[in-house]
Amino acid sequence: MSEEILNTQSLTRRYGAVTAVDQLSISVRKGTVYGLLGPNGSGKTTLLSMVLGVIRPDSGSFTWFGSQPSPDTYKRVGTLLETPNFYPHLSGENNLKISCMIKGASYDRIREVLTLTGLEGRGHHSFRSYSLGMKQRLAIAAALLNEPEVLVLDEPTNGLDPKGIAEVRELIKEIASRGVTVLLASHLLDEVERVCTEVAILKKGSLLYQGNVDGLRSEMVTVKLAAPDMGLLVSLLESYAGYKAHEIRNNVAVASFDPPFDGAALNRHFFENGLSLSHLETERESLEKTFLKLVS
Ligand SMILES: Nc1ncnc2c1ncn2[C@@H]1O[C@H](COP(=O)(O)OP(=O)(O)OP(=O)(O)O)[C@@H](O)[C@H]1O
Ligand SMILES: [Mg+2]
Protein backbone atom coordinates (compact mmCIF):
# COMPACT_ATOMS: atom_id res chain seq x y z
CA MET A 1 0.00 0.00 0.00
CA SER A 2 1.33 3.43 -0.85
CA GLU A 3 1.56 6.27 1.61
CA GLU A 4 -1.63 7.86 2.86
CA ILE A 5 -1.97 11.54 1.99
CA LEU A 6 -5.33 12.37 3.51
CA ASN A 7 -7.48 10.41 5.91
CA THR A 8 -10.82 11.50 7.34
CA GLN A 9 -12.49 9.80 10.27
CA SER A 10 -16.27 10.22 10.62
CA LEU A 11 -16.11 13.87 9.58
CA THR A 12 -19.44 15.58 10.17
CA ARG A 13 -20.64 19.12 9.52
CA ARG A 14 -24.16 20.42 10.01
CA TYR A 15 -25.81 23.62 8.84
CA GLY A 16 -28.92 23.95 11.00
CA ALA A 17 -31.09 20.96 10.20
CA VAL A 18 -28.96 19.97 7.19
CA THR A 19 -26.14 17.49 7.73
CA ALA A 20 -23.91 18.60 4.86
CA VAL A 21 -21.24 15.95 5.58
CA ASP A 22 -22.29 12.91 7.57
CA GLN A 23 -19.67 10.72 9.30
CA LEU A 24 -17.49 10.64 6.25
CA SER A 25 -14.37 8.50 6.28
CA ILE A 26 -12.18 8.54 3.20
CA SER A 27 -8.59 7.68 2.48
CA VAL A 28 -6.56 9.32 -0.30
CA ARG A 29 -3.32 7.56 -1.19
CA LYS A 30 -0.21 9.06 -2.72
CA GLY A 31 -0.16 9.21 -6.49
CA THR A 32 -3.89 8.80 -7.01
CA VAL A 33 -6.31 11.15 -8.72
CA TYR A 34 -9.11 10.95 -6.22
CA GLY A 35 -12.58 12.06 -7.31
CA LEU A 36 -15.27 13.23 -4.92
CA LEU A 37 -18.34 12.59 -7.00
CA GLY A 38 -21.79 13.70 -5.95
CA PRO A 39 -24.79 15.69 -7.15
CA ASN A 40 -25.24 19.34 -6.18
CA GLY A 41 -25.53 19.73 -2.45
CA SER A 42 -24.01 16.35 -1.61
CA GLY A 43 -21.31 17.91 0.59
CA LYS A 44 -18.23 17.99 -1.66
CA THR A 45 -17.30 21.61 -1.05
CA THR A 46 -18.09 21.30 2.66
CA LEU A 47 -15.76 18.31 2.93
CA LEU A 48 -12.95 20.09 1.08
CA SER A 49 -13.43 23.23 3.19
CA MET A 50 -13.05 21.16 6.35
CA VAL A 51 -9.91 19.33 5.32
CA LEU A 52 -8.38 22.58 4.12
CA GLY A 53 -9.04 24.20 7.49
CA VAL A 54 -11.48 26.78 6.13
CA ILE A 55 -14.38 25.58 8.30
CA ARG A 56 -14.47 23.43 11.42
CA PRO A 57 -16.04 20.00 11.56
CA ASP A 58 -18.77 19.44 14.17
CA SER A 59 -17.22 16.08 14.89
CA GLY A 60 -14.72 13.65 13.46
CA SER A 61 -11.10 14.24 12.56
CA PHE A 62 -8.63 14.13 9.71
CA THR A 63 -4.92 13.77 9.10
CA TRP A 64 -2.73 15.01 6.27
CA PHE A 65 0.46 13.06 5.51
CA GLY A 66 -0.26 10.89 8.55
CA SER A 67 -0.29 13.77 11.07
CA GLN A 68 -2.63 16.28 12.65
CA PRO A 69 -2.75 19.32 10.36
CA SER A 70 -0.53 22.28 11.28
CA PRO A 71 0.02 25.54 9.39
CA ASP A 72 2.97 23.87 7.63
CA THR A 73 0.70 21.11 6.33
CA TYR A 74 -1.07 23.48 4.00
CA LYS A 75 2.18 24.62 2.40
CA ARG A 76 2.28 21.14 0.87
CA VAL A 77 -1.23 21.45 -0.57
CA GLY A 78 -2.21 23.54 -3.60
CA THR A 79 -5.86 24.50 -3.72
CA LEU A 80 -8.41 25.81 -6.15
CA LEU A 81 -11.68 26.15 -4.28
CA GLU A 82 -13.39 28.79 -6.35
CA THR A 83 -12.40 30.98 -9.28
CA PRO A 84 -9.76 33.14 -7.64
CA ASN A 85 -9.61 36.88 -7.77
CA PHE A 86 -6.84 37.93 -10.09
CA TYR A 87 -6.31 41.56 -11.01
CA PRO A 88 -7.99 41.99 -14.41
CA HIS A 89 -5.70 44.78 -15.67
CA LEU A 90 -2.48 42.95 -14.73
CA SER A 91 -0.89 40.32 -16.94
CA GLY A 92 -1.06 36.64 -16.07
CA GLU A 93 2.62 36.79 -15.21
CA ASN A 94 2.26 39.78 -12.90
CA ASN A 95 -0.68 38.17 -11.21
CA LEU A 96 1.50 35.12 -10.57
CA LYS A 97 4.21 37.39 -9.13
CA ILE A 98 1.69 38.60 -6.58
CA SER A 99 0.74 34.98 -5.84
CA CYS A 100 4.45 34.19 -5.38
CA MET A 101 4.79 37.00 -2.85
CA ILE A 102 1.76 35.77 -0.92
CA LYS A 103 2.95 32.16 -0.93
CA GLY A 104 6.65 32.87 -0.50
CA ALA A 105 7.42 31.05 -3.75
CA SER A 106 10.34 31.89 -6.03
CA TYR A 107 9.67 33.90 -9.22
CA ASP A 108 11.61 31.18 -11.05
CA ARG A 109 8.55 29.01 -10.78
CA ILE A 110 6.42 31.38 -12.88
CA ARG A 111 7.89 30.31 -16.19
CA GLU A 112 7.52 26.63 -15.32
CA VAL A 113 3.90 26.84 -14.29
CA LEU A 114 2.98 28.99 -17.29
CA THR A 115 4.52 26.38 -19.57
CA LEU A 116 2.86 23.50 -17.77
CA THR A 117 -0.54 25.15 -18.05
CA GLY A 118 -0.05 26.05 -21.71
CA LEU A 119 -0.03 29.80 -21.06
CA GLU A 120 3.61 30.47 -21.89
CA GLY A 121 2.76 32.59 -24.93
CA ARG A 122 0.11 34.56 -23.05
CA GLY A 123 1.83 35.35 -19.78
CA HIS A 124 2.29 39.02 -20.68
CA HIS A 125 -1.34 39.53 -21.72
CA SER A 126 -3.81 41.05 -19.30
CA PHE A 127 -5.88 38.65 -17.25
CA ARG A 128 -9.06 40.31 -18.50
CA SER A 129 -8.22 39.27 -22.07
CA TYR A 130 -8.13 35.58 -21.11
CA SER A 131 -10.84 33.10 -22.01
CA LEU A 132 -12.55 31.37 -19.09
CA GLY A 133 -10.47 28.27 -19.75
CA MET A 134 -7.25 30.30 -19.64
CA LYS A 135 -8.38 31.98 -16.41
CA GLN A 136 -8.94 28.60 -14.88
CA ARG A 137 -5.54 27.35 -16.08
CA LEU A 138 -3.90 30.44 -14.59
CA ALA A 139 -5.60 29.61 -11.30
CA ILE A 140 -4.17 26.10 -11.49
CA ALA A 141 -0.77 27.61 -12.34
CA ALA A 142 -1.00 29.74 -9.19
CA ALA A 143 -1.89 26.69 -7.12
CA LEU A 144 1.25 24.97 -8.41
CA LEU A 145 3.69 27.78 -7.60
CA ASN A 146 5.03 26.32 -4.38
CA GLU A 147 5.39 22.82 -5.82
CA PRO A 148 2.62 21.22 -3.76
CA GLU A 149 2.54 17.46 -3.23
CA VAL A 150 -1.23 17.55 -3.43
CA LEU A 151 -3.57 19.60 -5.57
CA VAL A 152 -7.17 20.08 -4.40
CA LEU A 153 -9.62 21.22 -7.07
CA ASP A 154 -13.31 21.97 -6.59
CA GLU A 155 -15.25 21.63 -9.86
CA PRO A 156 -12.35 22.90 -12.00
CA THR A 157 -14.26 22.64 -15.29
CA ASN A 158 -17.45 24.41 -14.18
CA GLY A 159 -18.61 26.94 -16.73
CA LEU A 160 -16.05 26.04 -19.39
CA ASP A 161 -16.85 25.15 -22.99
CA PRO A 162 -15.99 21.67 -24.33
CA LYS A 163 -12.54 22.76 -25.50
CA GLY A 164 -11.77 24.44 -22.18
CA ILE A 165 -13.03 21.37 -20.32
CA ALA A 166 -10.81 19.05 -22.36
CA GLU A 167 -7.77 21.29 -21.77
CA VAL A 168 -8.26 21.44 -18.03
CA ARG A 169 -8.80 17.67 -17.83
CA GLU A 170 -5.61 17.04 -19.83
CA LEU A 171 -3.77 19.43 -17.56
CA ILE A 172 -4.93 17.59 -14.45
CA LYS A 173 -3.72 14.31 -15.93
CA GLU A 174 -0.39 15.90 -16.82
CA ILE A 175 0.04 17.24 -13.28
CA ALA A 176 -0.82 13.82 -11.86
CA SER A 177 1.69 12.14 -14.16
CA ARG A 178 4.38 14.28 -12.51
CA GLY A 179 3.62 12.62 -9.20
CA VAL A 180 1.24 15.17 -7.67
CA THR A 181 -1.68 13.59 -5.83
CA VAL A 182 -4.95 15.18 -6.93
CA LEU A 183 -8.20 15.49 -5.00
CA LEU A 184 -10.96 16.63 -7.32
CA ALA A 185 -14.62 17.38 -6.57
CA SER A 186 -17.04 17.02 -9.43
CA HIS A 187 -20.72 16.40 -10.05
CA LEU A 188 -19.90 14.88 -13.46
CA LEU A 189 -19.63 11.11 -13.64
CA ASP A 190 -18.00 11.38 -17.02
CA GLU A 191 -15.30 13.71 -15.70
CA VAL A 192 -14.42 11.43 -12.80
CA GLU A 193 -14.31 8.40 -15.10
CA ARG A 194 -11.95 10.19 -17.49
CA VAL A 195 -9.63 11.86 -15.03
CA CYS A 196 -9.66 9.96 -11.75
CA THR A 197 -8.21 6.66 -10.62
CA GLU A 198 -10.18 6.50 -7.34
CA VAL A 199 -13.63 7.74 -6.50
CA ALA A 200 -15.79 8.41 -3.47
CA ILE A 201 -19.47 8.80 -4.29
CA LEU A 202 -21.36 11.09 -1.94
CA LYS A 203 -25.07 11.13 -1.39
CA LYS A 204 -26.47 13.74 1.00
CA GLY A 205 -23.13 13.93 2.80
CA SER A 206 -22.73 10.16 3.22
CA LEU A 207 -20.35 7.84 1.48
CA LEU A 208 -22.05 5.55 -1.01
CA TYR A 209 -18.93 3.99 -2.49
CA GLN A 210 -15.18 4.35 -2.24
CA GLY A 211 -12.86 2.44 -4.50
CA ASN A 212 -11.19 2.48 -7.85
CA VAL A 213 -12.93 3.97 -10.83
CA ASP A 214 -13.08 0.65 -12.67
CA GLY A 215 -15.27 -0.57 -9.83
CA LEU A 216 -17.87 1.97 -10.97
CA ARG A 217 -18.88 -0.39 -13.71
CA SER A 218 -19.07 -3.41 -11.47
CA GLU A 219 -22.37 -4.51 -10.08
CA MET A 220 -23.57 -3.70 -6.65
CA VAL A 221 -25.97 -6.25 -5.29
CA THR A 222 -28.59 -5.11 -2.81
CA VAL A 223 -30.74 -7.66 -1.05
CA LYS A 224 -33.85 -7.04 1.03
CA LEU A 225 -34.33 -9.61 3.77
CA ALA A 226 -36.89 -10.15 6.50
CA ALA A 227 -37.54 -12.86 9.08
CA PRO A 228 -39.52 -13.17 12.31
CA ASP A 229 -36.26 -13.02 14.29
CA MET A 230 -34.44 -9.96 12.91
CA GLY A 231 -31.71 -10.21 15.55
CA LEU A 232 -30.74 -13.69 14.37
CA LEU A 233 -31.06 -12.57 10.76
CA VAL A 234 -28.57 -9.76 11.28
CA SER A 235 -26.04 -11.93 13.10
CA LEU A 236 -26.22 -14.62 10.39
CA LEU A 237 -25.99 -11.95 7.73
CA GLU A 238 -22.82 -10.51 9.24
CA SER A 239 -21.18 -13.93 9.29
CA TYR A 240 -21.89 -14.57 5.61
CA ALA A 241 -18.93 -14.45 3.20
CA GLY A 242 -19.22 -11.56 0.76
CA TYR A 243 -21.41 -9.51 3.12
CA LYS A 244 -20.55 -5.81 3.03
CA ALA A 245 -23.05 -3.72 4.94
CA HIS A 246 -26.67 -3.45 5.90
CA GLU A 247 -29.25 -1.11 7.29
CA ILE A 248 -32.69 -1.81 8.72
CA ARG A 249 -35.60 0.00 7.07
CA ASN A 250 -39.16 -0.72 8.24
CA ASN A 251 -38.16 -4.05 9.74
CA VAL A 252 -36.46 -5.12 6.52
CA ALA A 253 -32.69 -5.55 6.35
CA VAL A 254 -31.27 -3.96 3.20
CA ALA A 255 -27.87 -5.54 2.68
CA SER A 256 -25.11 -5.20 0.11
CA PHE A 257 -22.73 -7.91 -1.04
CA ASP A 258 -19.62 -8.21 -3.10
CA PRO A 259 -20.14 -9.78 -6.50
CA PRO A 260 -20.56 -12.54 -7.51
CA PHE A 261 -23.64 -12.92 -5.38
CA ASP A 262 -25.58 -16.19 -5.14
CA GLY A 263 -29.07 -15.73 -3.68
CA ALA A 264 -29.73 -19.45 -3.32
CA ALA A 265 -26.53 -19.91 -1.31
CA LEU A 266 -27.49 -17.04 0.98
CA ASN A 267 -30.94 -18.54 1.53
CA ARG A 268 -29.35 -21.91 2.34
CA HIS A 269 -27.00 -20.24 4.85
CA PHE A 270 -29.99 -18.92 6.80
CA PHE A 271 -31.95 -22.17 6.55
CA GLU A 272 -29.03 -24.32 7.70
CA ASN A 273 -28.63 -22.04 10.71
CA GLY A 274 -32.25 -22.43 11.72
CA LEU A 275 -33.78 -19.30 10.23
CA SER A 276 -36.57 -19.25 7.66
CA LEU A 277 -36.76 -15.99 5.75
CA SER A 278 -40.13 -14.38 5.21
CA HIS A 279 -38.73 -12.17 2.44
CA LEU A 280 -35.73 -12.27 0.07
CA GLU A 281 -35.49 -9.85 -2.84
CA THR A 282 -32.39 -9.14 -4.93
CA GLU A 283 -31.58 -5.98 -6.88
CA ARG A 284 -28.55 -5.69 -9.11
CA GLU A 285 -27.33 -2.37 -10.33
CA SER A 286 -24.10 -0.90 -11.57
CA LEU A 287 -22.75 1.95 -9.45
CA GLU A 288 -22.85 4.03 -12.57
CA LYS A 289 -26.60 3.53 -12.75
CA THR A 290 -26.94 4.11 -9.02
CA PHE A 291 -25.20 7.44 -9.46
CA LEU A 292 -27.29 8.46 -12.45
CA LYS A 293 -30.43 7.75 -10.46
CA LEU A 294 -29.06 9.91 -7.67
CA VAL A 295 -28.61 12.91 -9.90
CA SER A 296 -31.78 12.54 -11.97
N1 LIG B 1 -22.72 28.17 4.44
C1 LIG B 1 -23.78 27.36 4.41
N2 LIG B 1 -24.90 27.64 5.10
C2 LIG B 1 -25.97 26.80 5.08
N3 LIG B 1 -26.01 25.63 4.40
C3 LIG B 1 -24.93 25.30 3.68
C4 LIG B 1 -23.76 26.12 3.65
N4 LIG B 1 -22.84 25.53 2.86
C5 LIG B 1 -23.41 24.39 2.43
N5 LIG B 1 -24.65 24.25 2.91
C6 LIG B 1 -25.55 23.11 2.66
O1 LIG B 1 -24.83 21.91 2.84
C7 LIG B 1 -25.15 20.97 1.85
C8 LIG B 1 -23.89 20.56 1.10
O2 LIG B 1 -23.42 21.67 0.36
P1 LIG B 1 -22.06 21.65 -0.46
O3 LIG B 1 -21.88 23.01 -1.01
O4 LIG B 1 -20.98 21.10 0.38
O5 LIG B 1 -22.39 20.61 -1.62
P2 LIG B 1 -21.63 20.35 -2.99
O6 LIG B 1 -21.61 18.87 -3.16
O7 LIG B 1 -20.34 21.07 -3.02
O8 LIG B 1 -22.63 20.96 -4.07
P3 LIG B 1 -22.32 21.61 -5.52
O9 LIG B 1 -22.16 20.48 -6.48
O10 LIG B 1 -23.57 22.40 -5.81
O11 LIG B 1 -21.10 22.46 -5.41
C9 LIG B 1 -26.21 21.61 0.98
O12 LIG B 1 -27.47 21.19 1.44
C10 LIG B 1 -26.00 23.08 1.21
O13 LIG B 1 -27.20 23.79 1.04
MG1 LIG C 1 -19.55 22.46 -4.31
Side-chain angles (χ1 to χ4, degrees):
M1 272 296 200
S2 64
E3 191 187 317
E4 196 167 44
I5 297 285
L6 171 67
N7 177 284
T8 74
Q9 291 283 325
S10 300
L11 267 190
T12 301
R13 169 75 194 207
R14 293 180 207 89
Y15 289 107
V18 177
T19 304
V21 171
D22 195 2
Q23 304 211 21
L24 205 63
S25 301
I26 63 165
S27 167
V28 179
R29 299 208 158 259
K30 189 176 170 71
T32 55
V33 181
Y34 193 99
L36 284 176
L37 176 64
N40 294 137
S42 57
K44 304 179 295 294
T45 300
T46 304
L47 175 64
L48 294 182
S49 305
M50 282 192 282
V51 299
L52 293 171
V54 177
I55 59 170
R56 281 177 170 279
D58 287 314
S59 56
S61 60
F62 59 94
T63 57
W64 278 104
F65 313 105
S67 310
Q68 297 299 318
S70 69
D72 278 342
T73 304
Y74 296 108
K75 293 186 183 150
R76 301 166 70 182
V77 183
T79 60
L80 181 54
L81 280 197
E82 52 197 53
T83 318
N85 290 321
F86 287 115
Y87 293 97
H89 59 285
L90 293 184
S91 67
E93 205 170 316
N94 283 336
N95 270 296
L96 289 182
K97 278 190 183 156
I98 292 171
S99 302
C100 276
M101 287 192 265
I102 294 168
K103 291 165 188 260
S106 151
Y107 284 178
D108 297 344
R109 288 283 300 154
I110 292 175
R111 194 127 307 278
E112 283 172 53
V113 298
L114 283 175
T115 305
L116 176 59
T117 54
L119 292 169
E120 65 275 38
R122 297 294 300 269
H124 57 290
H125 291 187
S126 71
F127 178 73
R128 111 184 112 209
S129 73
Y130 285 12
S131 70
L132 262 184
M134 291 167 67
K135 286 178 176 166
Q136 194 66 334
R137 282 184 281 133
L138 187 72
I140 295 174
L144 293 171
L145 281 171
N146 48 358
E147 299 188 78
E149 292 159 63
V150 190
L151 184 61
V152 179
L153 305 164
D154 193 2
E155 309 266 6
T157 62
N158 254 10
L160 304 187
D161 65 12
K163 182 164 166 278
I165 289 173
E167 284 166 356
V168 167
R169 288 179 182 169
E170 275 316 304
L171 175 58
I172 295 168
K173 288 198 231 175
E174 173 63 32
I175 292 165
S177 76
R178 297 177 179 218
V180 176
T181 304
V182 178
L183 175 56
L184 163 92
S186 176
H187 64 283
L188 303 170
L189 176 64
D190 167 60
E191 177 153 287
V192 168
E193 285 189 317
R194 279 165 198 262
V195 177
C196 299
T197 58
E198 307 290 312
V199 59
I201 303 183
L202 302 189
K203 174 191 176 183
K204 291 187 184 156
S206 302
L207 190 64
L208 198 70
Y209 169 83
Q210 176 174 221
N212 63 34
V213 165
D214 299 332
L216 273 175
R217 280 182 212 90
S218 71
E219 272 190 333
M220 207 163 67
V221 181
T222 310
V223 183
K224 291 182 182 157
L225 303 147
D229 185 345
M230 288 300 282
L232 179 59
L233 186 149
V234 167
S235 70
L236 290 175
L237 185 61
E238 287 171 345
S239 68
Y240 185 72
Y243 160 81
K244 263 171 77 174
H246 82 277
E247 57 182 357
I248 304 284
R249 284 186 222 144
N250 305 323
N251 245 355
V252 173
V254 183
S256 55
F257 297 86
D258 288 320
F261 170 75
D262 180 350
L266 179 68
N267 202 2
R268 216 160 39 239
H269 169 74
F270 286 117
F271 189 75
E272 283 168 1
N273 287 286
L275 184 77
S276 298
L277 294 175
S278 54
H279 186 79
L280 173 66
E281 184 188 333
T282 307
E283 280 171 23
R284 288 169 192 277
E285 195 167 74
S286 69
L287 270 166
E288 199 161 13
K289 206 164 152 200
T290 309
F291 179 75
L292 292 174
K293 257 197 208 164
L294 259 181
V295 291
S296 65

